[in-house]
Amino acid sequence: MDRTRSITPDAIAAAHESFIGCRSNQIARNAVAASGIAAAARNPQVAALGTTTFDIQLEQGEITNQKRSGRCWMFASLNTMRYRIMKKLGLKTFELSQAYPLFWDKYERSNWFFENIIATADQPLTDREIAYLLSDPLCDGGQWDMFRSLVKKYGVVPKEAMPETFHSSNTGTMNQYLTRYLRAGAKQLRDAHASGADNAAMEEIKQQLMDGVYRVLAICLGEPPATFDVRIRDEKNELKASGTYTPQQFFNEFVDMNLDDYISIINAPTSDKPYMHSYTVKYLGNVVEDGGVRYVNLPIESLKRAAVAQMRDNLPVWFGSDVGQSFLREDGVLDPSAFEVDTLFDLPIEAGLDKAARLDYGESLMTHAMTLQGVNLDADGNPTRWRIENSWGEDAGKKGYEIASDAWFSEYVYQVVVDKKYLTEEELAAYESEPIELAPWDPMGALAR
């Protein structure tokens, strides 16, 4: 007999009888109706994880704030770099400009977009890859490899050299109009190709379009400085740095970081991505001449081991996670037991999917980048809690910091960036092997915002 495809009155009546027949359902209903799921399911014992003292604890400067922008990947990257400047100059706090890399990322990403449009000009608009390219060509999000490409080409500048503007802190409207401009440019390029335009003509069109991108960015963000004066004093008013620098000179002298030594390790325990292999993602990048992204997929224990080792050497760690999962925001605590949702509904809602299945079925992916600044260890040296520097201002979490249980790290951390010296020879060989290309829409191509 064929199965019943529609909802019948008998099915509704049975569901009703099942619901009212359980007293806990009515208690849960009343609690949720009065205060919402999050409040009713909140586990108060998890808040006790919010310690402020750690076995390994790095001290950073004042908490930064990305405001209404998706620049977390930039803030996290710059926070690892400003830490080096503060150590080098003996400063209690320092801040690098976040508007500066924003300008160059938008500019480079526009060029990346137009180059991909030209390369795919023979494909129909209905092709899935073309739809992907057009869907969100200029969002704020990004990954470490993309930031590394920007800094290698453009360097960094102190915040005073290129301060925030309205649209660096509130990118939505700027992105909206630039995206519309890019889509119009894509049509212009595809129409020109269809009409038989040669390479020189296509390049001329692209350059005119890029001039327009620069104009919009300069109006919204200001022009990036080619050189700037530096005067940096410490808490004792002693002059620690003075002179005129280019952004590249400033990076080389004060950050003093070999960017190519820092690589991305991911944890994607899905059947289509075996461990000990290198991966890249089609169309993911920004600086054309530097290529796309590359990661090595390793078990979560390898990510933890490398992160702890780098912090033992007194250096913070960039990482990407799904920050919205199991997060007690007011307490600044991340833990899989933060909300007893399954108990509240008596259903396997959170327990229904493991980490691999959450990736495969669209329930989770990397959404946000932050910086690991400390860790607690048990008697065997295994991590138990992680200290996290966020970029949501001092009012978030515990004065701008979050605390994650090691169980949360296992479930919701997808990427860490560490010096390659912390990898084993086998892991490093896997990273350096020819990368397997993932589809543009693969969850490991998600951008941190």
Side-chain angles (χ1 to χ4, degrees):
M1 186 175 66
D2 292 340
R3 65 181 180 87
T4 301
R5 298 174 61 189
S6 60
I7 297 173
T8 65
D10 287 345
I12 296 172
H16 169 70
E17 291 299 324
S18 176
F19 180 80
I20 63 171
C22 179
R23 185 169 177 268
S24 63
N25 287 342
Q26 298 175 52
I27 295 172
R29 177 197 61 195
N30 295 342
V32 171
S35 59
I37 294 173
R42 180 180 181 272
N43 183 350
Q45 293 181 327
V46 169
L49 287 171
T51 182
T52 56
T53 304
F54 291 80
D55 295 323
I56 300 173
Q57 184 163 319
L58 283 59
E59 293 302 327
Q60 182 68 288
E62 296 175 2
I63 291 294
T64 56
N65 193 341
Q66 67 188 80
K67 297 185 179 178
R68 297 178 64 83
S69 73
R71 296 175 291 166
C72 68
W73 59 293
M74 294 182 175
F75 274 73
S77 301
L78 290 171
N79 283 341
T80 67
M81 294 177 183
R82 71 171 179 145
Y83 185 88
R84 293 169 175 264
I85 297 173
M86 290 163 56
K87 282 178 57 183
K88 185 180 184 72
L89 300 181
L91 307 176
K92 284 192 174 181
T93 192
F94 186 78
E95 198 163 346
L96 290 163
S97 171
Q98 301 95 0
Y100 180 77
L102 178 67
F103 182 104
W104 291 122
D105 178 60
K106 299 295 185 189
Y107 192 57
E108 288 284 352
R109 205 178 303 203
S110 297
N111 184 60
W112 178 278
F113 170 74
F114 288 138
E115 286 296 321
N116 283 326
I117 290 297
I118 292 170
T120 58
D122 287 326
Q123 297 174 225
L125 278 174
T126 53
D127 186 274
R128 187 178 182 184
E129 289 190 3
I130 303 302
Y132 172 83
L133 290 173
L134 293 171
S135 64
D136 193 10
L138 206 68
C139 73
D140 287 351
Q143 295 197 6
W144 162 258
D145 284 11
M146 297 163 67
F147 193 81
R148 179 179 61 191
S149 296
L150 293 173
V151 176
K152 286 171 66 175
K153 186 169 183 177
Y154 296 106
V156 297
V157 306
K159 192 160 189 172
E160 292 80 3
M162 190 169 178
E164 292 286 282
T165 69
F166 177 87
H167 279 300
S168 67
S169 298
N170 302 270
T171 54
T173 302
M174 178 183 71
N175 288 347
Q176 175 188 347
Y177 288 116
L178 265 176
T179 297
R180 184 165 181 164
Y181 177 75
L182 293 190
R183 288 171 177 154
K187 181 180 186 304
Q188 187 177 346
L189 287 166
R190 286 175 61 88
D191 287 350
H193 174 79
S195 299
D198 60 16
N199 289 339
M202 296 291 282
E203 178 60 29
E204 183 178 352
I205 294 170
K206 191 196 81 168
Q207 190 53 56
Q208 290 174 353
L209 291 167
M210 288 299 298
D211 289 346
V213 171
Y214 190 97
R215 184 182 313 136
V216 173
L217 292 173
I219 289 171
C220 292
L221 304 175
E223 287 193 273
T227 62
F228 51 91
D229 291 332
V230 171
R231 305 288 187 276
I232 301 175
R233 292 183 179 272
D234 64 11
E235 298 298 314
K236 297 179 181 178
N237 204 34
E238 294 179 1
L239 191 64
K240 293 293 185 176
S242 175
T244 301
Y245 294 84
T246 66
Q248 294 86 347
Q249 289 171 338
F250 187 83
F251 174 83
N252 291 334
E253 180 168 343
F254 296 107
V255 179
D256 190 22
M257 178 182 184
N258 187 346
L259 290 165
D260 289 330
D261 282 345
Y262 286 81
I263 62 175
S264 294
I265 310 173
I266 61 170
N267 176 245
T270 52
S271 60
D272 64 326
K273 299 180 189 69
Y275 289 144
M276 302 301 292
H277 285 277
S278 176
Y279 296 90
T280 187
V281 181
K282 191 173 186 179
Y283 299 130
L284 182 56
N286 51 2
V287 179
V288 169
E289 64 269 28
D290 207 34
V293 302
R294 176 183 287 201
Y295 339 102
V296 59
N297 192 21
L298 300 177
I300 195 67
E301 291 75 21
S302 296
L303 278 68
K304 295 176 184 179
R305 185 202 71 232
V308 171
Q310 184 160 302
M311 285 191 289
R312 282 190 186 278
D313 287 343
N314 203 31
L315 288 172
V317 177
W318 188 107
F319 80 103
S321 67
D322 189 354
V323 74
Q325 300 276 6
S326 302
F327 185 14
L328 295 178
R329 287 178 178 265
E330 292 184 1
D331 301 287
V333 174
L334 298 138
D335 186 88
S337 300
F339 300 100
E340 296 179 323
V341 174
D342 291 11
T343 300
L344 179 69
F345 291 103
D346 193 22
L347 291 170
I349 295 175
E350 292 192 312
L353 301 171
D354 62 13
K355 189 173 187 178
R358 287 194 294 270
L359 288 169
D360 284 339
Y361 284 83
E363 170 55 28
S364 184
L365 42 65
M366 183 179 71
T367 60
H368 189 54
M370 299 179 285
T371 307
L372 294 172
Q373 292 280 0
V375 63
N376 271 350
L377 305 169
D378 64 18
D380 296 321
N382 299 312
T384 59
R385 300 179 190 177
W386 301 82
R387 183 178 191 242
I388 298 168
E389 178 191 13
N390 207 341
S391 54
W392 292 347
E394 288 190 351
D395 293 336
K398 295 186 178 297
K399 296 184 178 179
Y401 284 85
E402 322 291 355
I403 293 90
S405 69
D406 189 60
W408 187 89
F409 190 110
S410 296
E411 294 297 326
Y412 296 113
V413 169
Y414 293 108
Q415 186 175 359
V416 301
V417 173
V418 295
D419 192 316
K420 60 186 179 183
K421 69 182 181 182
Y422 299 114
L423 272 65
T424 67
E425 290 185 8
E426 185 182 11
E427 290 167 347
L428 187 56
Y431 174 81
E432 292 174 345
S433 65
E434 185 65 25
I436 299 168
E437 187 178 70
L438 302 175
W441 40 84
D442 188 274
M444 298 319 294
L447 300 180
R449 309 182 189 205

